[in-house]
Amino acid sequence: MPTHEPRVQVALERAIELGEGGLQVAAYLGEELIVDQWAGYADVEAETPVTADTLFAVFSVTKGVTAAAVNMQAERRLLDLDAPIARYWPEFAQNGKERITIRHVLSHRSGIPQMPAGITTERMCDWEWMIDGLASEAPQFETDTTNCYHGLNWGWLLAEVVRRTDPERRPFGRWVQEEICRPLVIDSLFLGIPPEAAPQVAKLFGPPAFVDDFGSMPAPAAPSAEIHNLQIVREACDPGAGAICNARSMARFWAMLANGGQLGGVRLLEENTLRNGLALRKNPLDVDLMIKMVALVGRAGWWVGGPGNRLVGESPNILYNPGAGGSIAFADLDQRLAIAITHNNMGANPEGFIGVADAVRAVAAELGQRAAA
């Protein structure tokens, strides 16, 4: 069990001072859980304290899990990352999408960043409606010409391929539980929370959702307290931005990545798959039109550390996925360090999270030095 680290607690309290409501941080060094701490309120208005078991929406940190699922299916030779999606999902070939490959979606270069026309909050929670709608959409850009982040549809596009290549055709949320969570002994990471978990979910607050110019995150579906505090949304499987978990469970998933694809004697991915995932997408230094900045996105679905990244680090051997509002999780493949931060303020000050991550890194460095002595 991790010991209580005063410097981590100070950093958590500082994040609260900077405007956070409640947050958790958990970290693994190698196979050891070295940090599992929290502060603040799960429900700010009701002053309900965060506990070790509070669950938080982590938005696009979810993409790290879905990327793992796709790469696991590729390792099992159930799909080819460079094959057209339509090979596995024939209806997807409509309206000029026949050339779009799995890799194009993983790297946010498919040319179809948008959610389906007619999207509503309720329709976002209807898997079949989403799949039919995405199959009918036409690209906004020529395939593989433009970096344009697929804020939400990324998850359904890829998870439907996983579902269709699964010999059992399991719903994706169940696939994740049975193929990732259960083998890794992760008990509190959900893509669609079970009813009994509802009382544990932290209440989001903060500014309204960011709505982009490309329909990637339209108002009825965009990450926000208004939408994502709804029980219908919490219970739905949104494989690109809908995971709900505690930091301990998410950190354990990323620890599997940090340890070269295995944890606790269970291997889910080959280390070569993860190392190859560090390779950046085509034209990586082109500004991403949706994010409006350069984003170092890898070819396998994870983002990659690099210069100026004060939160996850500058090493090019770090895999991560950021979530709306500031949630974060990452795996340093060289240090075998995994960190996850969960929280509930959609307008959080990133300096608070940088301080938390720095405190955890200091703890990990000391432990590493002791082990080497």
Side-chain angles (χ1 to χ4, degrees), residues 186-242:
I186 293 172
D187 61 8
S188 296
L189 194 168
F190 306 105
L191 284 168
I193 62 165
E196 62 270 20
Q200 296 174 254
V201 182
K203 185 177 181 181
L204 297 164
F205 70 99
F210 164 77
V211 178
D212 65 287
D213 299 329
F214 303 97
S216 175
M217 296 198 296
S224 67
E226 177 185 4
I227 301 300
H228 288 266
N229 280 332
L230 296 173
Q231 194 63 14
I232 186 177
V233 175
R234 291 174 172 178
E235 292 180 356
C237 179
D238 171 352

Side-chain angles (χ1 to χ4, degrees), residues 320-373:
Y320 76 104
N321 286 95
S327 303
I328 194 74
F330 64 89
D332 187 319
L333 304 188
D334 291 340
Q335 302 298 320
R336 296 199 306 140
L337 175 65
I339 300 177
I341 300 174
T342 57
H343 72 115
N344 58 356
N345 181 2
M346 296 301 294
N349 186 329
E351 291 298 322
F353 295 161
I354 291 168
V356 171
D358 284 346
V360 174
R361 277 189 284 261
V363 171
E366 288 187 5
L367 290 172
Q369 290 169 0
R370 289 179 203 164

Side-chain angles (χ1 to χ4, degrees), residues 36 60-61 75 101 127 233 240 285 297 314 356 359 371:
D36 185 16
S60 284
V61 176
E75 284 192 3
T101 68
W127 188 277
V233 175
L285 300 183
V297 175
E314 298 194 345
V356 171

Side-chain angles (χ1 to χ4, degrees), residues 37 59 67 111-112 129 173-174 197 200 206 208 213 215 229 233 257 260 280 284 298 312 343 361:
Q37 292 176 225
F59 299 103
I112 175 174
W129 188 92
R174 180 182 154 200
Q200 296 174 254
D213 299 329
N229 280 332
V233 175
L257 301 182
L280 298 177
V312 308
H343 72 115
R361 277 189 284 261

